[in-house]
Amino acid sequence: MSLPPSSFTVGSPLPVGSLPPVGIDRLGLATPSYRLPMSVLSDARQTPLRKYLVGLGQEQMGVLAPDEDIITLAANAAREALSGENLDNLHSIVLATESGIDQSKAGSLFVHRLLGLPSTCMAYELKQACCSSTVALQNALQTVALNPSKKVLVVASDVARYGFQTPGEPTQGAGAVAILVSAHPRLLVTGLASGQHTEELSDFWRPNYMDTAVVDGKYSIRVYLRALEEAFARYHQTTGLALRDFARFCFHLPFTKMGDKAYHQLLRHGVGAEEVEAAPETQLVPGQLYNRLTGNTYTASLPLSLMSMLENDPTDLTGSRLGLFSYGSGSMGIFFSGIVQDGYRDALFAETHRKQLKTRPALDLATYERWFDRAKPNENGDLTTELITTGSFRFAGMEGHRRVYEPTSKPAVTNSSAVAVI
Ligand code: HMG
């Protein structure tokens, strides 16, 4: 296979000159209204706090209130990413999730209605564990490359649930990131090139009859690292790019220590490893900060790490190439990259996001455990939820098996009697 010339920048097996630069234009975030500090969990589970903070690299996890779910998170994140946009240019809204709320109807249809999107904008849902957001992004890039006047919104929204007293419990979390894809993007030109590794195996999955994941934790870490190595090797074959060409790395972060493992795996086995020296403080850490505070957000994890890198790296990253690795259990790994655009900081919502993560009230253990069991509808398919969320949309309950979502008009005061915070 012949390699592209060394001046090749964006990277595409298609004739580069005929395509507009495509990539990520905006990133919107939504986190649950509440969080559980790892100190509360470590007391309750009689586990040294250092294991969570250092061994796993997690400080907090986002916890959904009973009137929040992946749809309310998705709608909040999408609303931010679409602020100031002409909605008539939106080609489609794609929900990437592994926490689907219906076997048939796409969750993005609810977001479509809540945001008043035009009927010309398509809505559908995509699944392959945590990496369906990257697959959706790749499809969106191709759509926009062929229709440069259009934009596509990919919304990654998930809740990670393993259950009480399991090894996975401290890696739970929830959140959503909305990724607006356009031609001539303001944040990152990604192009269409990527390296993949796909193989059927059972490291993590959730059967339809369970609401928590089944996982072989240690095995899942090994196969994640193998997928990274293979996907990066193929990316190098396609683009000619080696490790020295990347200024920063963002990884899928089921817990942030996984990013350290992935980074060192690349520096041990990636093409060109001998030419680069490890510098995790600059190349990795800024992209882990938000994920330390949310826990695993499955499909939203890699885009959240990218957002964290762009919003927290003190260096001006304009013109730098970022390496991005997406992993979805079961399994598929995808390596791709993007070049940071001039003026990117003006297109971010950095202050809002930092405040959002900082001001979430902390729950006590009893409330976290009580909220873990999601209320079920009665035999008629009816359910009413209390107003608790501090977000812009809420899951109001069910009527005759239909899910009901509504705007909240951002209540200044929540129903505090229902929430025990510490
Ligand atoms: P565990 O039983 O807690 O593992 O499970 P551990 O006892 O080996 O401890 C973890 C780390 O803490 C180790 O560090 C310990 O040394 C350290 P490491 O050797 O890995 O560097 N440690 C301490 N450090 C400081 N002070 C202490 C201390 N004690 C121990 N006192 C595991 C950990 C991640 C396996 C578990 O949490 C789990 O099963 N999580 C869920 C699965 C998972 O996240 N897998 C990751 C790869 S698969 C993936 O990313 C896909 C996924 O997102 C789903 C999807 O794609 O849909 C999960």
Side-chain angles (χ1 to χ4, degrees):
M1 185 185 300
S2 66
L3 296 179
S6 58
S7 61
F8 186 79
T9 50
V10 174
S12 166
L14 295 173
V16 175
S18 63
L19 294 173
V22 290
I24 298 176
D25 196 45
R26 284 249 144 152
L27 289 167
L29 171 67
T31 59
S33 301
Y34 297 88
R35 69 190 161 93
L36 185 74
M38 283 298 145
S39 50
V40 174
L41 198 64
S42 92
D43 285 349
R45 305 299 180 236
Q46 296 178 340
T47 301
L49 181 56
R50 233 182 110 73
K51 172 170 179 182
Y52 295 160
L53 299 180
V54 180
L56 295 172
Q58 289 308 128
E59 277 175 49
Q60 300 167 12
M61 68 170 82
V63 179
L64 290 174
D67 61 345
E68 296 175 325
D69 67 7
I70 58 147
I71 302 302
T72 62
L73 290 176
N76 283 309
R79 193 173 83 136
E80 184 174 61
L82 290 175
S83 56
E85 288 297 320
N86 177 355
L87 299 181
D88 290 334
N89 293 336
L90 206 57
H91 172 278
S92 43
I93 174 167
V94 189
L95 179 66
T97 189
E98 53 183 300
S99 320
I101 49 154
D102 194 282
Q103 291 282 7
S104 172
K105 183 172 174 179
S108 49
L109 281 160
F110 292 105
V111 182
H112 194 286
R113 183 178 61 75
L114 287 170
L115 298 188
L117 301 184
S119 58
T120 47
C121 171
M122 295 194 292
Y124 59 97
E125 194 170 308
L126 209 63
K127 178 172 71 179
Q128 181 5 60
C130 298
C131 75
S132 65
S133 50
T134 303
V135 178
L137 172 62
Q138 292 196 325
N139 291 347
L141 292 166
Q142 292 174 27
T143 299
V144 169
L146 295 174
N147 307 278
S149 63
K150 293 289 183 188
K151 297 190 178 187
V152 175
L153 189 70
V154 173
V155 192
S157 185
D158 264 310
V159 49
R161 292 164 55 88
Y162 293 95
F164 304 146
Q165 323 251 15
T166 63
E169 185 181 25
T171 69
Q172 293 177 155
V177 174
I179 309 162
L180 188 62
V181 177
S182 76
H184 307 284
R186 283 170 279 186
L187 296 178
L188 201 72
V189 168
T190 57
L192 303 177
S194 61
Q196 290 88 2
H197 177 76
T198 307
E199 76 183 294
E200 194 279 324
L201 47 81
S202 299
D203 59 331
F204 166 106
W205 66 103
R206 183 168 67 80
N208 284 347
Y209 50 83
M210 290 177 72
D211 64 3
T212 49
V214 187
V215 62
D216 184 343
K218 300 281 159 58
Y219 176 58
S220 73
I221 293 172
R222 284 202 306 278
V223 292
Y224 173 120
L225 294 175
R226 185 165 77 205
L228 168 63
E229 211 179 311
E230 296 289 337
F232 183 71
R234 281 178 202 140
Y235 184 75
H236 165 71
Q237 282 169 10
T238 308
T239 63
L241 295 167
L243 285 179
R244 63 171 176 277
D245 296 306
F246 300 93
R248 303 284 186 271
F249 293 95
C250 298
F251 297 100
H252 168 58
L253 297 175
F255 51 97
T256 67
K257 179 81 170 287
M258 191 70 224
D260 297 66
K261 292 177 192 292
Y263 178 76
H264 289 293
Q265 181 83 355
L266 271 188
L267 292 194
R268 266 195 306 271
H269 303 292
V271 180
E274 62 292 345
E275 299 166 342
V276 285
E277 239 174 72
E281 284 304 318
T282 51
Q283 290 201 306
L284 178 70
V285 171
Q288 294 174 314
L289 298 178
Y290 287 170
N291 304 65
R292 281 183 77 86
L293 305 178
T294 61
N296 196 352
T297 55
Y298 290 161
T299 51
S301 171
L302 173 65
L304 183 65
S305 173
L306 169 64
M307 179 189 290
S308 181
M309 182 65 80
L310 294 175
E311 296 187 357
N312 294 301
D313 194 316
T315 313
D316 179 357
L317 292 174
T318 304
S320 306
R321 185 182 286 278
L322 313 185
L324 300 132
F325 177 67
S326 183
Y327 177 75
S329 284
S331 69
M332 190 152 84
I334 305 174
F335 192 96
F336 63 110
S337 78
I339 296 186
V340 181
Q341 297 302 289
D342 189 20
Y344 72 99
R345 281 182 168 145
D346 297 336
L348 294 166
F349 302 99
E351 279 314 308
T352 311
H353 294 162
R354 284 191 210 112
K355 190 166 161 221
Q356 188 180 340
L357 287 162
K358 209 163 158 184
T359 54
R360 297 165 301 166
L363 292 178
D364 66 2
L365 186 81
T367 310
Y368 153 70
E369 293 194 339
R370 185 157 46 86
W371 283 359
F372 192 82
D373 287 324
R374 306 289 292 182
K376 300 226 169 19
N378 65 18
E379 66 281 4
N380 299 320
D382 296 331
L383 171 73
T384 306
T385 63
E386 280 184 273
L387 171 58
I388 297 178
T389 183
T390 58
S392 300
F393 303 100
R394 66 183 296 267
F395 170 55
M398 299 183 73
E399 287 172 7
H401 299 286
R402 287 184 198 87
R403 295 178 83 85
V404 180
Y405 293 95
E406 61 188 22
T408 54
S409 319
K410 284 240 179 205
V413 183
T414 60
N415 181 352
S416 55
S417 66
V419 186
V421 295
I422 53 174

